[in-house]
Amino acid sequence: MKNFPEYLHQKLPSPGGFLKTKALLKKHGINTVCEEAKCPNRFLCYQKKCATFLSLGKFCTRRCSFCDVGFSKNPLPPDIDEPRNFALAVKELKLSHVVITMVTRDDLQDGGAHHLALIIKEVRKQNKNVTIEVLTSDFQGKKESLDIVLNEKIDIFNHNVETTKSLSPSIRDKAKYARSLKVLKYVKDQRKVLVKSGLMVGLGEKEIDVKSCIKDLSKVCDIITIGQYLQPSKRCMKVKEFIPPHLYKVYEEYGHSLGVKQMLCAPFIRSSFVSFNKEEESHS
C-alpha cells in the first residue's frame, strides 16, 4: 500500500539488548510469536528483555490470511522439554510478567490445553512471584480444554476476536466470532481472572463495526487491545487502510464509556501488550 504514514515509522534501538535476548531465547529453544509472526515491535521488546513465548511448536493447524505463522495439517507432537525451557528462560530474563501464547492445535484432542497447563505449572514453580498471561486458541469451544488451563494459576486470560464480526469469516480460518465471544464469556463467568481480547484495524472494517465489536467485548472483557494491521509478508493479506491516530482515541473513549477497565488503542499496540505490569510495558 502506498503512502506509508510517518507515524508508523519507528526508530530502531541499538542492537545490543536485542541480540542478547535473541541469543538467550535460542539457547533455551524458545519459539516466540514475535519472530514467527514478524511482529514490528520485536526489536524494541527484545531490547527490554520482553518476548511473547509461543508454545506447542512453530506450526499452526489453521491458516488465517493475516498471520505469518507457519501452517501444517500434522505438526510435530508437543516438545516435552518446553515447560522446563520456558521456566528457565523466564528466570534468566528476570521477567515479572510473562505472556505465553500458542499455535492452534486442532490435531490434538484437547487442543494442546494439557501441554499449556504443564508450562504454566513449571513457570510458576520456578518463578514464584511472576504474573502469567495466557493468549490461547479457541480450543474449538471445548469447555473441558478451557478448564484444564483455567485450573492453573493465571492472572490474565487472553483470546482474540482478531477482527469485526462481518470480516471474521473471510479473515480467520475455522474460527468463529460468536465462538470466541462464548469462550471469553465462559472464562469471565467461571474464574476470577482478568479477561482480555484484541482486534486489528485497517482490514477494511468500518468505524461502526469496530464500535459494535467493542460493545460485544465490553460484556466479557476487562482489557481490550486495538492496533493497526501491518502485512507481515507477501503471502498475507494486504493492508486496506492506515487508521489515523485520532480514531484510536475515539475507540478508547468509547470502550471506557461502556465500562471497560483498560483500553489499549494505538497503531503499534498488539494483543500481547503487557498490561499487567506497567513497569515492563511491551508491545509484542
Side-chain angles (χ1 to χ4, degrees), residues 1 7 28 62 64 68 77 79 84-85 92 110 154 165 169 192 202 237 246-247 256-257 277:
M1 189 174 181
Y7 62 83
H28 292 293
R62 298 184 191 177
C64 297
D68 203 37
D79 181 359
R84 176 178 174 275
N85 291 338
E92 198 162 337
D110 67 351
I154 62 173
K165 184 178 181 179
K192 292 182 179 180
M237 66 180 298
H246 78 270
L247 198 49
H256 284 150
S257 74
N277 187 330

Side-chain angles (χ1 to χ4, degrees), residues 56-57 59 61 75-78 102-108 111-112 137 140:
L56 290 148
F59 294 97
T61 54
L76 292 172
M102 60 181 289
V103 290
T104 299
R105 293 295 301 260
D106 292 331
D107 60 311
L108 301 175
S137 71
Q140 299 183 54

Side-chain angles (χ1 to χ4, degrees), residues 79-144:
D79 181 359
I80 60 173
D81 291 327
E82 210 170 48
R84 176 178 174 275
N85 291 338
F86 275 36
L88 290 173
V90 169
K91 181 178 289 187
E92 198 162 337
L93 285 167
K94 298 180 181 179
L95 298 179
S96 60
H97 181 85
V98 60
V99 183
I100 304 169
T101 189
M102 60 181 289
V103 290
T104 299
R105 293 295 301 260
D106 292 331
D107 60 311
L108 301 175
Q109 186 173 3
D110 67 351
H114 179 69
H115 184 75
L116 182 58
L118 290 176
I119 291 173
I120 297 166
K121 193 186 300 290
E122 189 65 23
V123 168
R124 180 73 68 194
K125 179 181 177 182
Q126 297 197 39
N127 302 271
K128 300 298 184 184
N129 297 318
V130 72
T131 53
I132 298 176
E133 176 176 345
V134 293
L135 173 53
T136 79
S137 71
D138 60 17
F139 294 115
Q140 299 183 54
K142 295 178 180 177
K143 294 178 180 178
E144 56 269 29

Side-chain angles (χ1 to χ4, degrees), residues 265-283:
C265 309
F268 283 108
I269 293 293
R270 293 298 180 263
S271 59
S272 50
F273 185 93
V274 177
S275 54
F276 194 84
N277 187 330
K278 299 303 288 184
E279 293 180 359
E280 290 191 9
E281 284 189 344
S282 166
H283 299 67

Side-chain angles (χ1 to χ4, degrees), residues 122-184:
E122 189 65 23
V123 168
R124 180 73 68 194
K125 179 181 177 182
Q126 297 197 39
N127 302 271
K128 300 298 184 184
N129 297 318
V130 72
T131 53
I132 298 176
E133 176 176 345
V134 293
L135 173 53
T136 79
S137 71
D138 60 17
F139 294 115
Q140 299 183 54
K142 295 178 180 177
K143 294 178 180 178
E144 56 269 29
S145 292
L146 286 166
D147 286 339
I148 291 171
V149 176
L150 294 173
N151 284 337
E152 300 305 320
K153 187 180 177 184
I154 62 173
D155 299 282
I156 301 177
F157 178 90
N158 189 350
H159 169 68
N160 291 325
V161 292
E162 306 291 8
T163 187
T164 60
K165 184 178 181 179
S166 60
L167 291 180
S168 189
S170 62
I171 290 173
R172 304 172 74 197
D173 180 27
K174 299 183 182 68
K176 298 177 182 179
Y177 183 84
R179 181 198 284 166
S180 289
L181 290 179
K182 287 181 180 178
V183 165
L184 293 164

